[in-house]
Amino acid sequence: MTSKTTPSSGTSLTFYGGAGEIGGNKILLQTPRSQVYLDFGESFDFGEDYFYEWLQPRAANGLECYFEFGIVPMVPKLYSRAQLQFTDLPYEKPDIDAVFLSHHHCDHIGHLSFLDEDIPLYLGHGTKTIIDAYHTLFPSLVNIGDHNAINLFKSGDTIRIKDLTVRPIHVEHSTPGAYGFIIETPSGVLAFTGDFRRHGPMKRLTDEFISEAAASKPRVLLCEGTRMTPDPENYYSEEQVYEKVKGIIAKSEGLVLCEFSMCNIDRFNSFYKAATESGRTFVIDTKYAYLLDQLRTLPNLPSPQTDKNLKVYFRLSKSREFSAKDYSSRDRPYMDNMVTFREIHDRPRDYVMFIGFNKLMELVYIRPQKADYIYSLSESFLEGEDNADQRRVLDNWLTHFGITLHKVHCSGHAGKTDLEYAIQKISPDTLVPIHTQNPREFKKIHDNVMIIKRGDTISL
Ligand SMILES: [Zn+2]
Ligand SMILES: [Zn+2]
């Protein structure tokens, strides 16, 4: 394996994103006969150097502004005619055989809307379900654009693309439907972890990927390293999250409020279980009810339409009557399982309620006393300077209603111990750290680590 070459007649990888950064995966695999992308994500710092608040490129201008600042790579035969119409890059028919998506997070799919509609997408059934549900619920936030060839896979499928054989294998992450890939190329096997962890209830999925990858004896492993840092590891499992949440509920003298990522179904289960085992009903909003309904093929998920331990919160409508005519056809199926501010105000100790930052207005009606609020998202929001204003507003709401803040969270990414475990088991000839800010740290656990930066091409 050689590094930093230009694409050759052999097999190569080009890193248009995901190198030297957490997220933004956009990795081109080229062989003598095929070209496929592994993920097509948006970097977390995308556009940050040129755009700010209301200073934003117009969607109608397509890629024009992005090419101006070099923040989307100017690659021919990749983007749609509409995206290229005001740019210097002429439209040509695409020559990409496939884009494989590891999971639905924005840093893995965020730039799909730029792609030519005829490039085939390959994604897991769960990924597609969540993308569709999020698009229905938040159309301006989640929109992958139009695609004429969407191919769905499940774990263990074998997909042939010319001289490539791609096998998606599920992994555990902070969302269902996450995959790694084992890819046979003319130059040997390439394994790609996607985003993964093994400290939650679905650990066996990741372990299945690890053993399949190990058995394939890969020449190269592309391994995510979100939590690879020089600092000591802070190990925290999903089981510990559940225990801690249960402890907070047990001590609470009022309503327990909580916030976590909606698609984090392991986290939903931790809160739902902690609430029901404490004799409380778990409350979600109508959007969350819709998402759960779409995910009903997952095992052991309660039905938001009928489950007795789950209630669906309906906001006060304009008529203030809570009658069907005031709600959309998407919300109405949950009316039989409805709860309102009145019941929660009257019996706060009967409930644990999911409430996002944007829904805090409901507290004006619920008027909680002695409530607790469990923040169960990445701590970077509570501690980062970028969010200081939002944090100030949250603090003001909590202070106003005398609510106690608790932080309980565990990551969707493997810590150092599990990264080391995975890499030693898989034992690739060459290790290429991706999705990390500390690739050099991997040299402590493998003796052939290739450090890449954005734009590099390496030959297999
Ligand atoms: Zn990611
Ligand atoms: Zn992810």
Side-chain angles (χ1 to χ4, degrees), residues 407-425:
K407 291 180 269 184
V408 186
H409 180 61
C410 77
S411 175
H413 300 273
K416 257 192 280 202
T417 313
D418 283 337
L419 286 170
E420 185 169 355
Y421 172 86
I423 290 162
Q424 282 179 353
K425 282 265 178 195

Side-chain angles (χ1 to χ4, degrees), residues 401-451:
F401 288 105
I403 300 170
T404 308
L405 172 68
H406 308 265
K407 291 180 269 184
V408 186
H409 180 61
C410 77
S411 175
H413 300 273
K416 257 192 280 202
T417 313
D418 283 337
L419 286 170
E420 185 169 355
Y421 172 86
I423 290 162
Q424 282 179 353
K425 282 265 178 195
I426 296 171
S427 187
D429 297 341
T430 302
L431 174 64
V432 182
I434 54 166
H435 203 285
T436 180
Q437 290 176 324
N438 297 292
R440 282 173 209 288
E441 285 294 307
F442 283 82
K443 292 188 179 230
K444 293 176 184 165
I445 52 178
H446 195 278
D447 54 16
N448 188 19
V449 175
M450 189 170 277
I451 309 290

